[in-house]
Amino acid sequence: MKKASIYHQPSFHYLLDSEAQEETREDYDDKQVVTEIMARCFIPTSITTTSWESFRFIGHEIRITEAMDCYGAVVWPSALVLCYFLETNAKQYNMVDKNVIEIGAGTGLVSIVASLLGAHVTATDLPELLGNLQYNISRNTKMKSKHLPQVKELSWGVALDTNFPRSSNNFDYILAADVVYAHPFLEELLITFDHLCKETTIILWAMKFRLEKENKFIDRFKELFDLEEISSFPSLNIKLYKAVKKNQRSV
C-alpha cells in the first residue's frame, strides 16, 4: 500500500511526465539531426563506370569514389557525423591553420572537410587505400583549400618512430571515424593514438557501436586518455567523443 500511495502522488506523476517528455524531445532531436546529416549525401541514379557519391559540406559538393570490396574505401555514417560536427562547430573547434591528422581516412571525406575548413591536413591509411584516398582528396581540394593536404601511409603500430617521429609530431587534432571495427589491431590502434598525441592534442572520434569489442576498447582507451562524450545519435548507434591525454593540459 505504501508503494501504491507513493505512485499516486502528483509530484511522482509530474516526474514521470517530465522524464517522458525529455526522452521524447531527445528522440525527436536525434532524428531531426540524423535526417539533416544523412541529407548531406546524394547517390546518383545513373549507373556509371565508377562508383561515387556526392556530399554537401562547407558549401561545396564533394564527390567521393568508393570501392565496395573494401571496408576502408566506403563512406560510413560515422564519417558523416564527424563531418557534420566539424562544420557546425567550426568556431569552438577551429580548424584554420591547425595541424590535423586523420587516421583510417578511408575515402578521405573527413580529411576533405577539415581541409576545406582551413586545416593543414595529413590523411593516413593502409598502402592499398592510398591511391583512391589521394584521388578523392586531390579532386575535391585542389584550388579550394587554403593548405594542400598530404596523404601518407600509416599502418597502426608499425614504424611509428620512423614515419612519425615524436619530435616532429605537432598535431592540434586527431580525427577518427569508425576505426574500431572488424580488425584485430586494437592494441596497435591504441599505441598509435598515444604516439601521435602531444599534451595539447585533441582527439575527435566518431564510433558506431556494433560489437562487444568496442566497449572493451573504450575501457582500454580510458587508461591513457580522458574521454568525454560530446554528442550521441541513438538512432545510428553512434557516439562522438573528445579525448586528451591523461594528466595533461587541454587546449
Side-chain angles (χ1 to χ4, degrees):
M1 290 299 295
K2 185 177 181 181
K3 185 175 182 181
S5 65
I6 293 175
Y7 274 76
H8 280 89
Q9 288 183 15
S11 60
F12 186 83
H13 283 297
Y14 177 79
L15 178 61
L16 286 178
D17 290 342
S18 298
E19 291 177 348
Q21 289 173 7
E22 182 67 19
E23 289 178 1
T24 300
R25 185 186 64 79
E26 290 179 354
D27 182 60
Y28 176 78
D29 290 345
D30 170 53
K31 290 180 179 179
Q32 287 287 100
V33 175
V34 167
T35 298
E36 163 65 15
I37 292 172
M38 293 306 166
R40 301 304 184 94
C41 175
F42 167 75
I43 302 175
T45 56
S46 59
I47 299 175
T48 61
T49 56
T50 304
S51 175
W52 62 274
E53 290 184 69
S54 176
F55 302 86
R56 191 78 182 178
F57 289 103
I58 325 299
H60 293 276
E61 180 188 18
I62 302 170
R63 288 198 174 190
I64 296 293
T65 299
E66 298 182 312
M68 301 305 293
D69 59 344
C70 178
Y71 285 131
V74 176
V75 176
W76 298 102
S78 292
L80 297 181
V81 166
L82 185 50
C83 289
Y84 180 82
F85 179 83
L86 292 176
E87 180 185 50
T88 56
N89 293 272
K91 289 186 177 180
Q92 183 176 1
Y93 297 93
N94 184 10
M95 295 282 124
V96 177
D97 298 331
K98 297 297 193 299
N99 290 317
V100 175
I101 185 168
E102 183 186 5
I103 62 173
T107 62
L109 179 61
V110 173
S111 287
I112 291 165
V113 169
S115 181
L116 293 174
L117 285 167
H120 292 274
V121 175
T122 302
T124 69
D125 216 311
L126 296 171
E128 60 268 27
L129 297 174
L130 296 187
N132 188 60
L133 176 59
Q134 180 68 71
Y135 173 74
N136 283 328
I137 286 181
S138 296
R139 76 182 294 194
N140 288 289
T141 62
K142 188 175 182 181
M143 307 299 292
K144 298 177 183 178
S145 296
K146 185 177 182 180
H147 307 288
L148 183 66
Q150 296 184 50
V151 174
K152 292 185 67 173
E153 175 186 341
L154 175 54
S155 299
W156 298 338
V158 177
L160 294 176
D161 289 321
T162 300
N163 297 328
F164 295 89
R166 288 184 185 272
S167 59
S168 61
N169 285 351
N170 189 28
F171 298 115
D172 298 295
Y173 292 96
I174 297 176
L175 306 179
D178 244 358
V179 291
V180 183
Y181 176 58
H183 63 74
F185 305 110
L186 297 184
E187 190 62 30
E188 289 82 357
L189 173 59
L190 188 61
I191 291 169
T192 301
F193 270 128
D194 183 58
H195 180 84
L196 295 174
C197 274
K198 293 276 192 178
E199 65 175 20
T200 56
T201 303
I202 293 175
I203 298 172
L204 294 175
W205 167 27
M207 185 168 78
K208 183 177 179 69
F209 286 79
R210 302 178 180 89
L211 307 168
E212 180 60 27
K213 65 171 60 176
E214 278 95 354
N215 293 315
K216 292 180 179 178
F217 182 79
I218 289 290
D219 292 338
R220 286 283 291 116
F221 190 86
K222 287 180 178 179
E223 294 175 8
L224 297 178
F225 297 91
D226 288 320
L227 188 66
E228 176 188 357
E229 181 184 315
I230 55 177
S231 195
S232 179
F233 304 89
S235 61
L236 295 174
N237 206 22
I238 291 173
K239 292 184 177 182
L240 183 62
Y241 294 104
K242 171 186 174 182
V244 293
K245 275 194 171 182
K246 274 188 176 295
N247 302 319
Q248 299 291 349
R249 179 171 56 85
S250 177
V251 175

